[in-house]
């Protein structure tokens, strides 16, 4: 496994922290665009315009995730071989236009088509971003780097929910989609100016193809680490995507908040997980830098995050509005301890660098499935039970499964193997030791 202990110095990465900030902002914009529908679905005018039932709302919320999931592997393959800059640029422009076009549709079929298109093009974000981070940051920086990057995914819905609610209340749902889609296009200017191609020459492109091919899809799928990462991503994503897709409606319909106040408390929840994710990544990095084993440290943070997130059930079972809001915010915030460390562990620390894009694409299938299942299953459970208690009980069960998967499956001996025998033996981090050892073939 190709690792390093310092920030890499390579062409195109002269200012890695600035590029990381751009990637985080790109992730933020992607989450604003994908979650803007949630606020619209809590608006009675939007619901009446399309004649939506609770089941319809669940299917609309989930539509994004089906194409998002289907395109993960193709996008991972593309960025492993052709770099990050141009695939990201093209996809970014398409999803921003599709978001803006959502404000112009008048038929349910067209609305569904826009959601499917946004999902397909946003699929590039995670494989491309982790490919870039893996190439430019060493192990003692990965947790903090991933934490900063992940903040974009948390502040996206945190900022997007109240802004979308405000735009809907003061203008209309149509204006909200137009504004959020078009404003995001500004991001492309610094991205095109500052980021160079990952593989600028034909020789480097050929080398990149060879390295990416040294870890086969068969080897990836035979790794318990990859399956553990998929389980973790599903369990983590089930909770977070529930909050992105159903939290505004839950706060309005079951807790009696206004649409604007629901956006405010959605902001508190996602701001909490963003800050905790950054803290968790930074704290784990500092412990690892003192000589403690990277795998053991990150696993401890992941388990703590999953167990802490289980407090969401306390919010579901209380009759007090204040207590419900408290546990709602706290449970998602504590889950942040798992965010950066789970991502670093499953996508970087235990994965050969030459296969980060493909492996991330495979694992993101589970994340996408979590989004689709969470959105649609929660809608069905709401339909049959009449309240949000049962959907939150399902969240509790999945969080416990995620904690168990972390302990059992995420072990260095089960990391994906490099199939190219001509390649040098990769250093691996063994659990229980703070240093890298050479793997024997």
């Amino acid at each position: 496994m190709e690792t390093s202990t310092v920030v890499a110095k390579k062409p195109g990465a002269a200012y890695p922290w600035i590029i990381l900030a751009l990637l985080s902002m790109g992730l933020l914009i992607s989450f604003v665009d994908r979650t803007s529908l949630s606020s619209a679905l809590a608006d009675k005018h939007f619901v009446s315009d399309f004649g939506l039932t609770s089941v319809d709302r669940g299917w609309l919320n989930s539509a994004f995730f089906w194409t998002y999931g289907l395109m993960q592997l193709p996008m991972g393959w593309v960025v492993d071989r052709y770099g990050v800059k141009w695939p990201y640029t093209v996809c970014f422009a398409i999803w921003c236009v599709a978001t803006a076009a959502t404000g112009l549709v008048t038929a349910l079929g067209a609305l569904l088509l826009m959601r499917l298109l946004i999902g397909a093009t946003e699929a590039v974000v995670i494989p491309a971003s982790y490919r870039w981070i893996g190439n430019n940051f060493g192990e003692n920086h990965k947790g903090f780097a991933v934490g900063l990057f992940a903040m974009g995914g948390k502040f996206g819905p945190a900022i997007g929910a109240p802004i979308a609610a405000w735009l809907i209340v003061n203008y209309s749902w149509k204006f909200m989609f137009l504004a959020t889609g078009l404003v995001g296009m500004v991001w492309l200017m610094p991205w095109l100016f500052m980021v160079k191609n990952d593989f600028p020459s034909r020789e480097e492109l050929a080398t990149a193809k060879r390295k990416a091919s040294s870890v086969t899809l068969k080897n990836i799928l035979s790794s318990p680490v990859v399956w553990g990462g998929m389980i973790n991503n599903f369990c983590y994503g089930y909770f977070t995507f529930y909050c992105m897709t159903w939290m505004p409606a839950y706060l309005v319909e079951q807790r009696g908040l206004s649409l604007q106040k629901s956006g405010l408390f959605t902001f508190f929840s996602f701001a909490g997980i963003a800050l905790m994710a950054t803290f968790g990544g930074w704290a784990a990095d500092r412990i690892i830098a003192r000589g403690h084993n990277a795998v053991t440290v990150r696993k401890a943070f992941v388990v703590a995050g999953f167990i802490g997130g289980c407090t969401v059930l306390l919010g579901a079972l209380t009759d007090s509005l204040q207590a419900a809001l408290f546990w709602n915010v706290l449970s998602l915030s504590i889950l942040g301890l798992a965010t950066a460390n789970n991502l670093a562990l499953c996508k970087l620390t235990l994965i050969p660098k030459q296969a980060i894009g493909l492996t991330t694409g495979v694992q993101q299938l589970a994340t996408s499935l979590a989004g689709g299942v969470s959105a649609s299953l929660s809608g069905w459970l709401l339909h049959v039970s009449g309240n949000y208690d049962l959907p939150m009980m399902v969240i509790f069960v999945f969080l416990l499964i995620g904690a168990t998967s972390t302990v059992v499956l995420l072990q260095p001996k089960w990391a994906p193997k490099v199939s190219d025998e001509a390649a040098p033996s990769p250093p691996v981090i063994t659990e229980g030791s703070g240093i890298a050892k050479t793997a024997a073939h």
Side-chain angles (χ1 to χ4, degrees):
M1 198 178 304
E2 299 176 25
T3 61
S4 62
T5 57
V6 295
V7 177
K9 300 294 184 183
K10 58 173 63 181
Y15 306 101
W17 295 104
I18 296 177
I19 304 302
L20 179 67
L22 271 178
L23 288 171
S24 183
M25 183 60 66
L27 181 64
L28 184 151
I29 294 169
S30 77
F31 271 86
V32 168
D33 289 343
R34 79 176 64 170
T35 59
S36 56
L37 179 68
S38 302
S39 295
L41 289 173
D43 175 43
K44 61 182 181 181
H45 299 294
F46 180 85
V47 172
S48 63
D49 284 348
F50 290 96
L52 303 175
T53 66
S54 292
V55 175
D56 293 333
R57 289 192 293 167
W59 282 113
L60 270 177
N61 264 325
S62 68
F64 165 93
F65 298 102
W66 302 125
T67 49
Y68 182 77
L70 286 174
M71 291 302 295
Q72 288 296 320
L73 278 176
M75 291 299 183
W77 183 88
V78 168
V79 300
D80 272 343
R81 287 158 177 79
Y82 302 108
V84 172
K85 181 176 181 177
W86 290 110
Y88 202 133
T89 299
V90 172
C91 290
F92 186 95
I94 293 173
W95 94 57
C96 284
V97 171
T99 300
T102 304
L104 304 177
V105 302
T106 57
L108 182 58
L111 176 61
L112 182 63
L113 179 62
M114 291 300 102
R115 296 302 295 174
L116 293 172
L117 182 58
I118 294 169
T121 48
E122 284 197 13
V124 75
V125 174
I126 298 300
S129 299
Y130 282 102
R131 175 70 180 179
W132 196 92
I133 293 171
N135 284 343
N136 293 282
F137 290 93
E139 183 59 47
N140 63 329
H141 290 94
K142 284 177 182 175
F144 186 53
V146 170
L148 288 176
F149 169 70
M151 285 183 73
K154 311 312 172 190
F155 274 111
I159 295 172
I163 289 177
W166 185 85
L167 289 172
I168 291 171
V169 170
N170 289 278
Y171 296 94
S172 69
W173 64 265
K174 295 181 179 181
F175 181 82
M176 181 272 292
F177 282 115
L178 284 167
T180 55
L182 295 178
V183 169
M185 295 288 285
V186 176
W187 178 90
L188 282 173
M189 290 187 287
W191 174 259
L192 290 171
F193 177 75
M194 298 188 66
V195 179
K196 297 181 180 179
N197 289 324
D198 298 69
F199 310 124
S201 70
R202 291 183 178 179
E203 293 76 13
E204 288 175 322
L205 178 58
T207 300
K209 288 182 179 180
R210 179 181 58 79
K211 285 185 176 182
S213 299
S214 69
V215 179
T216 65
L217 182 60
K218 178 181 177 181
N219 285 354
I220 289 173
L221 293 178
S222 65
S223 168
V225 165
V226 173
W227 286 97
M230 291 175 72
I231 293 171
N232 279 20
N233 286 355
F234 182 92
C235 296
Y236 176 94
Y238 191 94
F239 186 15
T240 56
F241 286 128
Y242 167 84
C243 293
M244 291 177 198
T245 55
W246 281 106
M247 184 185 290
Y250 160 73
L251 294 175
V252 170
E253 296 170 3
Q254 185 154 319
R255 295 300 177 180
L257 299 186
S258 67
L259 181 58
Q260 285 182 300
K261 284 188 176 179
S262 75
L264 181 62
F265 278 97
T266 300
F267 167 80
F268 290 149
S269 296
F270 282 98
I273 192 175
L275 295 174
M276 193 65 77
T278 305
F279 168 77
W282 173 84
D285 283 352
R286 300 286 66 77
I287 296 172
I288 293 167
R290 294 174 184 173
H292 295 279
N293 177 257
V295 175
T296 303
V297 171
R298 297 204 191 282
K299 284 174 69 171
F301 274 85
V302 173
V303 172
F306 276 128
I307 298 300
C310 289
T311 57
V312 67
L313 193 59
L314 298 177
L317 298 178
T318 183
D319 293 327
S320 167
L321 173 61
Q322 289 73 21
L325 294 174
F326 172 79
W327 291 115
N328 207 54
V329 172
L330 185 66
S331 60
L332 192 61
S333 298
I334 296 177
L335 184 66
L337 291 174
T339 304
N341 289 291
N342 181 61
L343 296 173
L345 193 60
C346 299
K347 293 178 171 63
L348 300 174
T349 301
L350 292 173
I351 303 301
K353 184 181 292 185
Q354 57 265 47
I356 288 175
L358 183 58
T359 303
T360 300
V362 170
Q363 292 186 356
Q364 282 301 112
L365 285 172
T367 303
S368 308
L369 182 63
V373 172
S374 177
S376 54
L377 178 60
S378 296
W380 181 78
L381 292 173
L382 172 63
H383 175 73
V384 299
S385 67
N387 60 53
Y388 289 83
D389 294 351
L390 190 55
M392 290 189 178
M393 290 180 185
V394 174
I395 292 170
F396 174 80
V397 172
F398 279 125
L399 291 175
L400 291 179
I401 293 173
T404 303
S405 167
T406 301
V407 174
V408 176
L409 295 177
L410 299 186
Q411 299 187 39
K413 63 182 179 181
W414 289 333
K417 306 301 181 185
V418 176
S419 62
D420 184 359
E421 295 298 328
S425 298
V428 298
I429 300 175
T430 58
E431 196 162 7
S433 169
I435 59 174
K437 298 182 178 181
T438 301
H441 284 292

